[in-house]
Amino acid sequence: MTLPNIILFDDVLDQDLIETAYELGKKRNAASYPFFNFSDGPDDEDPTFKVMRELAYDLWVNIVPEILKPEKYAGTELWHNNMYEGDGLHEHVDVDEKAEELSAPYWGGVMYLGPKEPMRGGSLHANVTSYKVNLGRERKPLIVPFKQNRVVLFQECVHWVGPVLQLANSDQPRIALACPLWEHPIDPFVRNGPHANEPHSNVRHWSEIKQ
């Protein structure tokens, strides 16, 4: 089956849970959580991980149609970062660092947690041409504006976040929760709880990837 390049879902996740996740996320400048299989229960008592995990489970198990998922899939990993005015994220692809060959998730995925108020900038830019061919050199991306409770799924590709130009409130950062769907388990760099300001091992600048 030929997959669409990019899919948007608006307001499909529980709004109260989204807002709870946002408030918890604001307490951590950045966080990465263990890979989990959808059949497993939470492996710790961290309340933030539990909420983020519940959102990801609802998305991949209950919301995304079966036709869009592979026959077998292992689970997802979660990480988020908080962006204030002037912040953005460079061009990158999400890969399994420990795979011998270049390996990407079946779907790249991100949930927009907040803020609820509109902002200027902070849009996701996705070059949906395969990274194996293009590696980000084609500068005609799809641009997805930020909106709370928006989910973006995309075929793994070079993507980046444009700078946040203006927030409605300086203490209400842009928070997005990455939730890629993997066909095999991976070993994220951060295994045990959040580590603020540490780069996620699965994020690679496109220029680092060898064709």
Side-chain angles (χ1 to χ4, degrees), residues 6 8 27 45 52 88-89 92 99 138 152 167 176 188 199 204:
I6 193 163
L8 300 185
K27 298 177 181 179
E45 296 301 317
M52 304 296 188
L89 184 62
H92 65 278
E138 173 60 50
V152 188
L167 295 166
R204 295 280 297 278

Side-chain angles (χ1 to χ4, degrees), residues 72-148:
K72 294 182 180 180
Y73 49 93
T76 187
E77 56 175 333
L78 304 173
W79 73 92
H80 73 80
N81 50 27
N82 302 3
M83 295 186 181
Y84 295 86
E85 290 180 6
D87 292 340
L89 184 62
H90 61 68
E91 294 174 310
H92 65 278
V93 294
D94 304 332
V95 299
D96 182 351
E97 289 284 353
K98 296 192 175 181
E100 292 184 2
E101 297 182 357
L102 192 60
S103 176
Y106 189 82
W107 279 109
V110 63
M111 306 177 195
Y112 292 165
L113 301 183
K116 187 173 184 178
E117 296 79 7
M119 71 173 67
R120 290 180 56 234
S123 296
L124 174 71
H125 298 242
N127 182 343
V128 294
T129 304
S130 171
Y131 63 85
K132 294 181 180 179
V133 175
N134 190 273
L135 290 180
R137 298 186 180 93
E138 173 60 50
R139 301 298 300 213
K140 295 180 180 178
L142 292 174
I143 299 175
V144 184
F146 194 95
K147 174 183 178 297
Q148 188 184 55

